[in-house]
Amino acid sequence: MTLAFETRRATPVDADQIAAAHVDSIRSLGARVYAADVVDDWTGGRLAGDRNGDAYVHAMERGETFYVAVGAVEGVSAILGFASHLVADGRHRTAVYVRGVASRCGVGSALLHLAEAQALAAGARSLHVDASLAAVDFYKANGFDEISRGQHRLRSGRVMSCVVMRKDLEP
């Protein structure tokens, strides 16, 4: 499927739409491999409005870089997905989320490439991700290798299975 979109660095003005894309991704793609209670906790609650843009604004203020893809969803301009880059505990980390309608349309890969370029510019030799089970194939297709299996603790305290992955970067 072809989907027209543009990518750019996100600003705090984008935060609420980033949150909406994040929730859509979890509910449409994550729900394929995780139980409903995990999906509910992962989104921050049963209602999509429970996850708002404040967390993304705070992350930006702490130095996390976000990139967004913008395109049309049912004829309305919207953020189709996002990628992030941050350095945590001495490791360059990333995450990519796309709306269900943008899945398998090149949006995630385009966003990941922007995060990789940011990591390289910041001196990274590798990039790490704790991939959801729904995203493992995406990261493998984009050059990541599985390091181990693990668990991610959600804000609710519930744990969800994940796959720890790494990609070596070349300048």
Side-chain angles (χ1 to χ4, degrees):
M1 177 172 137
T2 302
L3 182 65
F5 63 93
E6 294 181 3
T7 57
R8 62 174 171 77
R9 188 170 176 159
T11 69
V13 172
D14 299 315
D16 285 338
Q17 279 204 45
I18 291 171
H22 198 171
V23 168
D24 180 281
S25 180
I26 294 166
R27 292 214 176 273
S28 62
L29 303 174
R32 294 177 184 172
V33 295
Y34 292 102
D37 54 352
V38 172
V39 170
D40 285 342
D41 284 3
W42 191 4
T43 60
R46 293 190 180 278
L47 302 174
D50 289 350
R51 182 180 286 265
N52 63 44
D54 293 344
Y56 307 92
V57 171
H58 295 309
M60 289 177 198
E61 290 169 347
R62 290 188 311 271
E64 189 167 352
T65 303
F66 288 83
Y67 295 94
V68 293
V70 181
V73 175
E74 296 180 5
V76 177
S77 179
I79 289 178
L80 301 173
F82 70 93
S84 66
H85 167 256
L86 76 148
V87 180
D89 300 323
R91 287 187 167 175
H92 290 264
R93 302 191 58 79
T94 193
V96 179
Y97 287 86
V98 298
R99 290 177 178 271
V101 298
S103 176
R104 305 197 60 79
C105 295
V107 173
S109 295
L111 289 166
L112 178 59
H113 292 158
L114 292 172
E116 287 177 0
Q118 173 70 29
L120 277 168
R125 292 186 176 175
S126 62
L127 197 54
H128 299 261
V129 64
D130 293 347
S132 74
L133 300 180
V136 171
D137 289 341
F138 164 78
Y139 287 112
K140 283 183 178 179
N142 281 281
F144 282 77
D145 295 312
E146 181 176 332
I147 303 301
S148 65
R149 297 282 170 145
Q151 292 186 324
H152 177 76
R153 185 166 303 281
L154 301 168
R155 286 181 281 170
S156 66
R158 184 184 307 276
V159 295
M160 62 183 267
S161 297
C162 68
V163 177
V164 179
M165 303 183 83
R166 173 188 163 139
K167 179 178 183 176
D168 292 327
L169 301 177
E170 295 181 18

